[in-house]
Structure formats: structure tokens, C-alpha cells
Amino acid sequence: MQYPRQQTTEQPIQEKSYLSNFSTKLSPFLVANTGTLVFLFIWWLVTALGIIQAVLLPTPIATFSSLWAGITSGDLLLDFWLTLYRTLYAFVIASILGIPLGLLLGANEKLYKSFEFLIDFFRSTPATAMFPLFLVVFGIGDFSKVAVAAFAGALVVFFNVAYGVMNTRKTRIMAAKVMGVPKWRVFVDVIFFETLPQTFIGLRTAVSLTLVVIIVAEMFVGSTNGMGQRIIDAQQVFDMPGMYASIIATGVMGYGLNQFFLLTENKFIHWKGQ
Amino acid sequence: MVSKLGVDIEVTGLTKYLGEKVLYENFDLKIARGKITCIFGPNGCGKSTLLNMMAGLLTPDAGQMRFGTEVRSSGRTKTIQKKGQKSSTNNSRNESPVKIGYVFQNYRDALFPWLRAAENIEYPLLSAGLSRLQRKARVETLIHQFDVGFDLSRYPYELSGGQQQLVSIMRALSTQPNILFLDEPFSALDYEATLAIRDKLQEVFTATGVTIVMISHDLEEAVYLADHILLLTKRPTRLAERVVFEAQRPRTLKTLSEPAFVSTKAHSLEVFRREAS
Ligand SMILES: Nc1ncnc2c1ncn2[C@@H]1O[C@H](COP(=O)(O)OP(=O)(O)OP(=O)(O)O)[C@@H](O)[C@H]1O
Ligand SMILES: [Mg+2]
């Protein structure tokens, strides 16, 4: 009875050491990016074998050299910065509007209830449906695009902050109250911090959303620059490598923004999930 | 001079409804100054509600509460006028209000996880207007009093449950309150941590003479710590009996086998069985 049992306990140990050998042989970079490399390889394979026509999908090499050309000539970089600038501009407005409003309405449940329908309605309305309205109000200039994006972002920030405030655990607020801490300090020292994790979720969602709205606005609302306009322009003249290069650059922007917020969040809200 | 800190509490005509149902009706209670009073009663009889009303976190539907010379009724606070004293505004400025410390059952939800343990303990002193140096000194005193052996520069979530609850108690005591309320402070802790913190609490009590009111769901623990055990009935809640247990302090594990302890516990259990069913 004992002999076979010993055998079974030895097997997993062998497997484990084999696995750890395997993973130490590969650098951590390769482990984390195997999927990406496989994807790039398939892309290359598909274009090299001519399975998909070059008018639809250029080779990775053509795409990345177009990206490189765009960067070195500086015109892609200019569009990149313009889009980033508009996105961040909209995001900052969204935060400045959304956070205080969220705190205010979250803390006054009656006030929130009276606005609940309106909030839900506008949250469910696609922001892009507002373009014509904002064009009328703010004119055809740059700011109307930023304003629509800011509007959409502010709603997301506002909703998340208000939700966070309304769902704060009552114990910490009670703890502060019983210490005789004045009401405004309870708000600043406790409720604000309690809400931070939810606020960050709102901010992260908002920055992604403002980017989407800005790109769409640049594509279709009479723009002469920006990544959205660049993508559409490349498509119009069938510059496929250029189009793909611009899409990748936009993706890099979105990914970068998201990573930036995740990193800040993890550093700043160290107690999250504890 | 020992019980210079603690004040007595008197609750009169307390009434509290929960929707349609009566929780307390015309409820009277006296809590002696500088003693440990344990509250024991059936589940849901309103022990936490009572403590929260006394701490000013919940408003009663009617009734009056007095803490030392300070009277609170329906949210208002005033100090009892003594003859020969001037206007009440003058008076209340001179006399510092009664300070209350509160320890919650769930330390995880009660400590501030964005502050380090030491900052948590200092926090009540911040709004009391103490300088940085004074706050540091106070924390040092508490560290000595509680003989803290772990690093208070850690965040609460980096500490064990027992350590976190100890930090909670230190935070509650940092302002040198006149009254310390504890709502089942040990129920989320393991046995070892409970024993250790229980005895530290007793030590600090002996040293400071703060009035302690503690809810316990463990009769042995209640009798072990208490001078007075308040046995409550099921709803509508009344005071079934006030049991007095006057064994010497510090009480130790030996106390648990003394005849006086055994008979007090047995008597309390009998009253509880009768009133809770
Ligand atoms: N927010 C609330 N709304 C309505 N009823 C409540 C609320 N909170 C508590 N109750 C009820 O009030 C009664 C007293 O609650 P309380 O928490 O004071 O009891 P307790 O004696 O502390 O109970 P336990 O031993 O479980 O801690 C319970 O019956 C509970 O169901
Ligand atoms: Mg309770």
C-alpha cells in the first residue's frame, strides 16, 4: 500500500522541476509576449502566402515601415499629439465636472433620486448622437469635438463617483463621526478615500471613452488633422500600410493611457482589494 | 483619583421604534463611572442599537441621556447648570465635552486602510487640534501602555486580525476618552488574540479608570471582564437583571475557576435562559 503512494507523490515533483526549468530557459519577455509574436507571425504568413490581398491587409513589414516613416517625417507624430491633446483636454474637463458633481449628488441621495431618470437617460444615449447639437452650440471648431467627448466622459466619471459615494461602507464614517470629526472632514478624510477605487474606475473608463469620441469626431466632423482624420484619409486613397500604421498608433495611445491609469491606481490606491 | 477619567451614564425614558415594531420603550439604564459594564442579551435584542444611540450615531425616538454633567436629548447637547455659574455659553466653553471612544466589531471595516497604523491612531487627535509632536508623544504613550511589539508604520491590511483590533482600541483611546464603547470586539478574532487583547484592555482600564461599556456574546468573557453585567431580554427589550461581580483585578485564568466566578456565570446563564426564550 505504501509503495505506490510514494510513487505518486514523486511524479508531481518531477513535473514541477521540469516546468520551472522550462520557464527559466525562456526570458520573461518572451513568456509575456508569445501570443503577440504568434499573432505577428500569422499576419506575416497570411500576407506572404497571398491568402489575403495586399489591398485589404498589407504585410507587417510594409505597415511598420509606414509607421516608421510617419514618425520620422513627423506628420504622424503631429496628428498623434493633436488627438492625445484633445482626448486629455476632454478628459480633464470631464473630471473637473464629474468628480465634484458625483460627490455632491452621491452624498445627497434625495437629490440623486430626483435626477436619476435624467442621468440614466443621458448615460444610455450614445454621445456621438450629440454631435449635431454640440456643433450648433459650439460651432464647427475644435472645441465642439472636445465638448462632446468631455460630456460623455463627465457622465461616466460622475456616475461612478456618485455610485462610489452611495455605496461607502458605513462603519468608517461612523468611526469618524464618533471621534467628533466635523462633517466636512468626514467627507474629505473618509468618504473621498472610500470612493477613490470607484472614482479611478470611472476615470479609466472615461479616458477610453473620450478617445473613442475624439477619434470618431476627427473622422466625420470636418477635421483636417488628428489620428481619426489620418485613418480615414489613408483609407480614401487606399494607402493600406498607412491606414494600418495609424490604427496601430491609435491603439498604442489607448493602451498607454489605460496602462498609465492602472499604474497610478495601483500605486495610489494601495489598499484596493485588501 | 484612579477613576478621574471615567464618567457615569444615565439613560432615561429611551424609546426606539424599528418601523412599526418597538425595540425599546421607556427604557432606563445606569452605567457606573470607572467600571467595566458588559451587556449580554439575545441576538437582535438591540445591543448594538443601544450602544450606537449612546454614542450619538443613532437618534432615539424619545428619551434623555446624561454623561457625567452633560445631557443630550434628541440630538441637543447642554451642560447642567450649577448655581452661581454664568451663562451657558461661557460654561460650555470652559468645560470640555465628554469624549467617547468606540471600537467596532469588524476592525477591517473600521480602520482607515489608506493610513498607516500609527496614522490611524493619531487621526482623532488631528481634529482635536493637537500638534504633530503632541500626537507623536501620545502614540508613544499608547505603545508603552499596550506594550506593542509590531511595526505601526505598516498599513492595517498588513497586520494580523488581533493586531488590527489592537490598533482600533488604541485609536479609540488616543483622545483619552471618558467612555469607551466596544461592540463585540473579540468576535472576529481567534482565541489566542482574544486572550491577549482582553488582558491588555483590563490593564489599560486599571491604569486609566475609563468607563467601559462592552457588548459581548460570550458570557464567560463578559463575567471575566465585567464589574457589572447587564442582562437584556428579548424584544421589546428590558433590563432583566444587573449582575455584579466584584472579583479583584487583575483577573487571570485562575479567576475562571473561582467559586464566585462560577456561580455568577451560572446565575447569569439562568437569567438569560429565562428571559431570552
Ligand atoms: N437598519 C435597520 N433597519 C431595520 N431594522 C434594523 C436595522 N438594523 C438593525 N435592525 C433590527 O434591529 C434589531 C436590533 O439590532 P441590533 O443590531 O441592535 O441587535 P443586536 O442585539 O446588536 O444583535 P446581534 O447580537 O446580532 O449583534 C434587530 O432585530 C435587527 O433586525
Ligand atoms: Mg450587534
Side-chain angles (χ1 to χ4, degrees):
Chain A
M1 277 296 273
Q2 268 197 321
Y3 186 60
R5 214 184 254 174
Q6 267 183 330
Q7 254 193 336
T8 50
T9 51
E10 261 172 39
Q11 265 176 338
I13 292 169
Q14 270 182 331
E15 257 178 87
K16 206 179 147 195
S17 62
Y18 167 74
L19 264 177
S20 65
N21 259 340
F22 177 75
S23 59
T24 46
K25 270 181 200 160
L26 285 167
S27 73
F29 176 83
L30 276 181
V31 172
N33 292 287
T34 311
T36 316
L37 293 173
V38 168
F39 174 81
L40 284 175
F41 177 73
I42 293 175
W43 179 6
W44 173 79
L45 202 67
V46 158
T47 48
L49 296 177
I51 297 173
I52 296 178
Q53 286 175 309
V55 240
L56 288 180
L57 184 67
T59 64
I61 294 152
T63 303
F64 283 104
S65 47
S66 169
L67 185 62
W68 182 246
I71 291 170
T72 46
S73 73
D75 58 328
L76 186 141
L77 276 188
L78 180 67
D79 283 327
F80 189 91
W81 288 125
L82 278 168
T83 299
L84 185 63
Y85 168 75
R86 287 175 189 140
T87 302
L88 291 179
Y89 189 2
F91 172 75
V92 168
I93 297 175
S95 309
I96 290 172
L97 289 176
I99 293 175
L101 271 177
L103 289 173
L104 184 77
L105 263 75
N108 297 286
E109 214 150 323
K110 273 185 200 151
L111 201 62
Y112 184 86
K113 280 271 179 300
S114 66
F115 279 99
E116 196 167 20
F117 170 74
L118 266 185
I119 294 161
D120 281 345
F121 179 80
F122 279 113
R123 241 165 37 89
S124 316
T125 309
T128 42
M130 304 278 200
F131 273 134
L133 173 65
F134 276 71
L135 282 177
V136 171
V137 176
F138 294 104
I140 319 176
D142 226 26
F143 188 73
S144 59
K145 299 184 191 67
V146 172
V148 183
F151 175 77
L155 275 171
V156 170
V157 174
F158 160 80
F159 178 77
N160 275 284
V161 173
Y163 182 83
V165 173
M166 282 188 290
N167 287 285
T168 44
R169 297 257 182 90
K170 298 290 175 264
T171 319
R172 292 198 187 102
I173 298 169
M174 283 165 71
K177 268 188 189 162
V178 87
M179 293 170 196
V181 175
K183 236 181 169 176
W184 69 269
R185 280 209 78 135
V186 175
F187 210 85
V188 175
D189 294 347
V190 183
I191 297 178
F192 174 76
F193 282 92
E194 282 274 314
T195 315
L196 266 187
Q198 191 68 37
T199 303
F200 260 86
I201 292 175
L203 293 179
R204 209 145 37 84
T205 319
V207 85
S208 300
L209 186 62
T210 47
L211 178 59
V212 169
V213 176
I214 290 292
I215 292 289
V216 172
E218 286 169 349
M219 282 179 175
F220 303 115
V221 192
S223 201
T224 53
N225 50 34
M227 293 308 287
Q229 191 267 342
R230 197 180 170 84
I231 294 168
I232 275 282
D233 274 4
Q235 184 244 356
Q236 304 273 301
V237 298
F238 284 98
D239 172 16
M240 284 301 136
M243 190 182 91
Y244 277 85
S246 297
I247 291 174
I248 289 171
T250 313
V252 167
M253 189 190 302
Y255 180 77
L257 287 171
N258 230 319
Q259 282 306 100
F260 173 76
F261 273 87
L262 266 181
L263 285 178
T264 330
E265 192 176 327
N266 288 342
K267 199 170 154 51
F268 207 55
I269 313 176
H270 52 83
W271 66 90
K272 196 181 71 173
Q274 299 282 350
Chain B
M1 276 312 279
V2 173
S3 44
K4 55 186 183 288
L5 207 60
V7 298
D8 65 328
I9 306 171
E10 189 178 357
V11 175
T12 37
L14 181 76
T15 301
K16 180 76 183 172
Y17 289 91
L18 287 170
E20 299 278 281
K21 287 186 287 182
V22 181
L23 187 60
Y24 290 101
E25 189 152 52
N26 231 339
F27 182 82
D28 296 336
L29 189 71
K30 276 185 183 166
I31 288 167
R33 70 193 277 250
K35 302 256 186 221
I36 300 184
T37 301
C38 285
I39 299 176
F40 190 81
N43 277 327
C45 78
K47 303 179 291 293
S48 300
T49 308
L50 178 65
L51 214 60
N52 288 343
M53 286 191 290
M54 290 200 286
L57 292 170
L58 276 178
T59 38
D61 293 316
Q64 200 179 55
M65 288 178 204
R66 181 178 59 75
F67 303 87
T69 56
E70 195 177 302
V71 174
R72 294 180 194 177
S73 57
S74 47
R76 248 180 255 147
T77 305
K78 65 178 184 207
T79 307
I80 291 178
Q81 288 274 295
K82 287 178 197 142
K83 273 180 195 170
Q85 276 179 331
K86 282 176 189 169
S87 73
S88 65
T89 48
N90 244 336
N91 187 18
S92 57
R93 214 176 282 159
N94 294 337
E95 231 162 302
S96 63
V98 169
K99 279 180 286 189
I100 290 173
Y102 199 125
V103 178
F104 294 85
Q105 172 180 3
N106 198 339
Y107 45 83
R108 244 179 260 285
D109 287 347
L111 289 171
F112 304 136
W114 48 85
L115 297 181
R116 294 169 191 282
E119 292 168 333
N120 264 282
I121 299 169
E122 279 180 37
Y123 181 76
L125 303 172
L126 205 75
S127 49
L130 263 66
S131 74
R132 218 179 77 96
L133 234 59
Q134 285 172 309
R135 298 199 303 268
K136 289 271 175 286
R138 181 70 192 129
V139 173
E140 280 305 314
T141 313
L142 282 164
I143 289 174
H144 268 280
Q145 239 172 9
F146 281 89
D147 192 23
V148 176
F150 55 92
D151 186 7
L152 284 178
S153 64
R154 285 168 177 274
Y155 288 100
Y157 53 80
E158 297 173 317
L159 303 173
S160 75
Q163 291 169 339
Q164 288 183 54
Q165 193 59 303
L166 198 64
V167 170
S168 289
I169 294 174
M170 290 166 79
R171 181 178 73 173
L173 286 173
S174 68
T175 53
Q176 294 183 281
N178 309 93
I179 304 163
L180 179 65
F181 289 130
L182 303 104
D183 189 350
E184 301 197 19
F186 308 125
S187 61
L189 300 179
D190 59 50
Y191 194 58
E192 200 188 336
T194 301
L195 289 185
I197 297 182
R198 201 162 85 174
D199 287 333
K200 285 208 174 140
L201 191 65
Q202 190 181 208
E203 258 174 59
V204 173
F205 165 74
T206 314
T208 60
V210 58
T211 301
I212 292 183
V213 183
M214 183 176 110
I215 297 173
S216 174
H217 69 285
D218 177 346
L219 193 55
E220 180 162 289
E221 173 186 289
V223 178
Y224 176 80
L225 279 175
D227 297 295
H228 296 169
I229 304 117
L230 303 179
L231 298 166
L232 301 185
T233 66
K234 63 176 197 230
R235 289 184 292 167
T237 312
R238 291 173 299 105
L239 179 63
E241 194 174 322
R242 173 194 299 271
V243 179
V244 178
F245 182 56
E246 282 174 322
Q248 270 195 324
R249 288 186 199 278
R251 296 175 188 169
T252 59
L253 288 179
K254 242 170 61 188
T255 312
L256 297 177
S257 51
E258 279 168 15
F261 178 85
V262 175
S263 68
T264 307
K265 192 185 150 194
H267 173 72
S268 304
L269 189 59
E270 196 189 307
V271 175
F272 173 74
R273 283 246 174 85
R274 192 179 65 222
E275 297 293 345
S277 57

